Amino acid sequence: MTLSELESRIEAILFTMGEAVSAGRIAAATGQDEDTCRRVARNMMDKYMAEDRGIQIIELDGSFQMCTKTEMYETLVKIAHVPEKHVLTDVLLETLAIIAYKQPVTKIEIEHIRGVKSDHAVNKLVEYNLVCETGRLDAPGRPVLFATTEEFLRNFGIESVEGLPVITPDKIEDFKQEAEQEAQLGLDI
């Protein structure tokens, strides 16, 4: 199989599937090895970015997906119905951050960190497809475990959760001091 034929097949797979497809599945469908498929898909990513096209290939946690470039949003809105905007409140962002950094995590663990019930926040994040159930903890009651989704990665522009910013001990101390100052201001009012 020529390089051009392999690129065509990968392009057809990604276009047809409409979601992220692992290099292993691409390899099985094309009869090539995973490393070759991964390398060709990454070369295709570069080609799509270099050319003036409305679509691109992105890599999400070792899988590849064909999608439109963000610059095309305004044009697409004119032809399609305006998508519903999901508003991420401070509560939702706080809950999402806990899930992203602690995943897989249970609601009880989230509530312990936040100090308040988190049912509504977790349910909204599941509704927005930013988090999902990933199984159950092997503990009494078998609580549900939550983790982030590919949609989370797409929305926040990262390839995998390893791409999340690292919080250093110095930064944690700064956050603690800011929180104490805010709490003190709240008491003074």
Side-chain angles (χ1 to χ4, degrees):
M1 177 182 314
T2 68
L3 176 61
S4 179
E5 289 172 330
L6 180 56
E7 284 180 343
S8 296
R9 290 177 187 202
I10 291 173
E11 186 176 56
I13 290 167
L14 298 179
F15 177 79
T16 302
M17 295 306 291
E19 59 186 30
V21 181
S22 70
R25 287 182 64 202
I26 294 170
T30 60
Q32 302 294 314
D33 63 273
E34 281 187 48
D35 288 337
T36 299
C37 290
R38 196 175 288 113
R39 190 172 53 254
V40 171
R42 287 181 179 147
N43 286 340
M44 291 171 67
M45 288 170 66
D46 294 340
K47 282 184 188 178
Y48 276 90
M49 289 308 280
E51 296 176 9
D52 194 17
R53 294 182 177 219
I55 57 175
Q56 64 182 343
I57 296 174
I58 59 173
E59 186 172 357
L60 300 167
D61 211 13
S63 296
F64 297 91
Q65 180 175 358
M66 183 174 284
C67 58
T68 56
K69 290 184 177 175
T70 54
E71 307 88 78
M72 299 297 120
Y73 178 78
E74 292 301 320
T75 304
L76 295 173
V77 166
K78 292 176 185 173
I79 197 161
H81 295 286
V82 178
E84 181 183 332
K85 290 267 186 183
H86 298 299
V87 177
L88 291 179
T89 63
D90 290 344
V91 170
L92 293 180
L93 283 172
E94 179 181 289
T95 306
L96 183 58
I98 292 167
I99 294 169
Y101 280 96
K102 298 285 188 179
Q103 64 186 302
V105 63
T106 65
K107 276 187 197 175
I108 293 169
E109 292 171 304
I110 296 166
E111 291 168 355
H112 177 74
I113 294 167
R114 291 194 63 233
V116 295
K117 290 292 252 176
S118 299
D119 292 338
H120 177 73
V122 172
N123 291 341
K124 273 294 185 196
L125 292 170
V126 169
E127 179 185 323
Y128 293 168
N129 194 29
L130 296 173
V131 300
C132 65
E133 295 181 12
T134 59
R136 293 195 172 264
L137 186 63
D138 190 18
R142 308 235 335 119
V144 175
L145 292 167
F146 293 93
T148 56
T149 63
E150 284 183 354
E151 188 66 23
F152 165 81
L153 298 175
R154 263 190 295 282
N155 278 286
F156 287 87
I158 54 177
E159 285 186 24
S160 69
V161 291
E162 285 78 28
L164 289 170
V166 177
I167 302 173
T168 63
D170 294 342
K171 200 66 172 164
I172 291 172
E173 192 56 41
D174 290 346
F175 290 150
K176 284 181 183 176
Q177 289 176 359
E178 286 177 27
E180 289 170 1
Q181 289 172 351
E182 286 179 15
Q184 187 61 39
L185 287 174
L187 294 174
D188 293 340
I189 293 178

